[in-house]
DNA sequence: ACCTGAACACCGTTCAAGT
DNA sequence: ACCTGAACACCGTTCAAGT
């Protein structure tokens, strides 16, 4: 039975979760699938595209809640964070993959829609959704870098990551509320 | 005349600006200095530490403006963006180097001080400063990824990056204003 | 102390040859 | 079409040996 594209992406995702981003090499994906490295290139054009596919697969698990704009956006942000924290190093992976411009997944589409419904002009809604995404990625990358660090080093001083997360989202949404016409 | 730590960091920074982050290898730094790769390890323990030193050197150029909190924080954010945009791929470099936890530079110290003076409790001031940093890094990483892309591909649809930047900073600072006691 | 020369254990990617 | 085997052009890092 020949290898499929989905199997390659899945194997890569499994290695990411087990060994982290720095352990995710084409050769290790190949060896996990018991295949020669060159065989991967029948299913994926290069490593960048494979990483983008892994990022898309992870992001596919993010909820797209509806309802009153503020709780819905807060739930979206919380779901994004939850999905990222469930996959080691995925915040950095997603940030990196965004740079390649090879993603199919449009991460900001849903929050931008919610913010436009709140009364923000389309341009501002997209901008605010991007700002939210940057904050969540930056915050989760920091959390995951700390987790990676503490795999091999003694834990540093405890910090409440949840509080910091809610603060950042809250500040941005307060800013939105101040500018949005429709406060329902 | 023997090589110095500063020369190694400078050579690395020059290669970053010319060739980008993916072109920045220990072997290229060595060959720019007309030295064998192994020679670098007398001045730097490993590549991660070198990257962190380059990031610190770049961030040393960021202004630390004083005065009324809101214009001062806006000026800090604008200066950070300016410094990042002047060094190819530096937003991604700084984000990556932060993950190593090898930096001497405390990027959020100054804005956190300004925000505390604005009336935010110390914990919230640090959180808001981090949120600002995440936004600036994310926004600049996106700008620089686009610049890298357009080195070899036709330009995509024009977007106004300045507007997006001011929007993000404005949303966060509106949120701060809503929570800060001292509005001077 | 500082550097060379050479090696070690890896990378991503390509490609003729086989089935 | 799909994979193997083998190669190519790179990596980061280490270390005996020289000065």
């Amino acid at each position: 039975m020949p290898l499929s594209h989905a199997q390659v992406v899945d194997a890569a995702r499994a290695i990411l979760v087990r060994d982290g981003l720095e352990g995710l090499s084409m050769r290790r994906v190949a060896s996990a699938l018991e295949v020669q490295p060159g065989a991967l290139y029948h299913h994926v054009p290069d490593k960048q595209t494979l990483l983008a596919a892994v990022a898309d697969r992870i992001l596919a698990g993010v909820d797209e809640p509806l309802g009153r704009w503020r709780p819905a956006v807060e739930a979206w942000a919380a779901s994004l964070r939850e999905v990222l924290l469930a996959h080691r190093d995925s915040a950095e992976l997603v940030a990196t993959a965004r740079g390649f411009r090879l993603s199919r997944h449009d991460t900001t589409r849903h929050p931008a829609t919610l913010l436009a419904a709140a009364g923000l002009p389309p341009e501002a809604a997209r901008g605010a959704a991007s700002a939210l995404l940057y904050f969540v990625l930056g915050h989760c990358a920091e959390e995951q870098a700390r987790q990676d660090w503490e795999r091999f080093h003694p834990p540093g001083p405890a910090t409440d990551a949840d509080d910091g997360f809610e603060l950042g989202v809250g500040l941005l949404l307060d800013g939105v509320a101040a500018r949005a016409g429709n406060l329902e």
Side-chain angles (χ1 to χ4, degrees), chain A:
Chain A
M1 203 175 59
L3 224 51
S4 73
H5 176 87
Q7 276 178 85
V8 175
V9 176
D10 260 20
R13 195 177 62 127
I15 290 174
L16 176 74
V17 170
R18 250 198 309 279
D19 303 334
L21 192 54
E22 85 174 15
L24 176 45
S25 70
M26 296 299 274
R27 296 179 108 102
R28 283 215 219 181
V29 173
S31 103
L33 293 165
E34 295 182 288
V35 107
Q36 296 295 317
L40 299 180
Y41 292 84
H42 288 270
H43 303 94
V44 141
D46 52 32
K47 188 182 180 182
Q48 291 196 355
T49 308
L50 175 55
L51 290 181
V54 173
D56 281 354
R57 210 189 178 300
I58 290 171
L59 291 173
V62 177
D63 287 343
E64 304 200 336
L66 297 174
R68 283 187 300 133
W69 72 268
R70 183 148 186 164
V73 174
E74 286 167 348
W76 169 82
S79 170
L80 173 56
R81 176 173 178 233
E82 212 172 322
V83 163
L84 291 174
L85 294 184
H87 298 85
R88 163 125 92 121
D89 291 351
S90 61
E92 200 189 329
L93 170 70
V94 170
T96 303
R98 282 179 63 78
F100 303 149
R101 315 195 150 257
L102 294 168
S103 289
R104 295 247 135 325
H105 191 96
D106 180 4
T107 325
T108 57
R109 196 189 49 79
H110 184 67
T113 304
L114 293 171
L115 293 170
L120 241 43
E123 191 78 2
R126 276 206 300 275
S130 289
L132 274 164
L133 176 64
Y134 299 150
F135 170 72
V136 176
L137 288 178
H139 193 274
C140 291
E142 201 89 18
E143 287 188 78
Q144 294 184 311
R146 188 190 184 85
Q147 286 166 11
D148 284 350
W149 174 268
E150 289 177 355
R151 279 167 199 272
F152 299 106
H153 298 80
T159 63
D160 196 321
D162 292 359
D163 284 357
F165 184 77
E166 277 167 34
L167 173 64
V169 174
L171 290 173
L172 284 165
L173 296 189
D174 283 356
V176 169
R179 290 157 196 243
N182 176 3
L183 297 185
E184 281 312 298

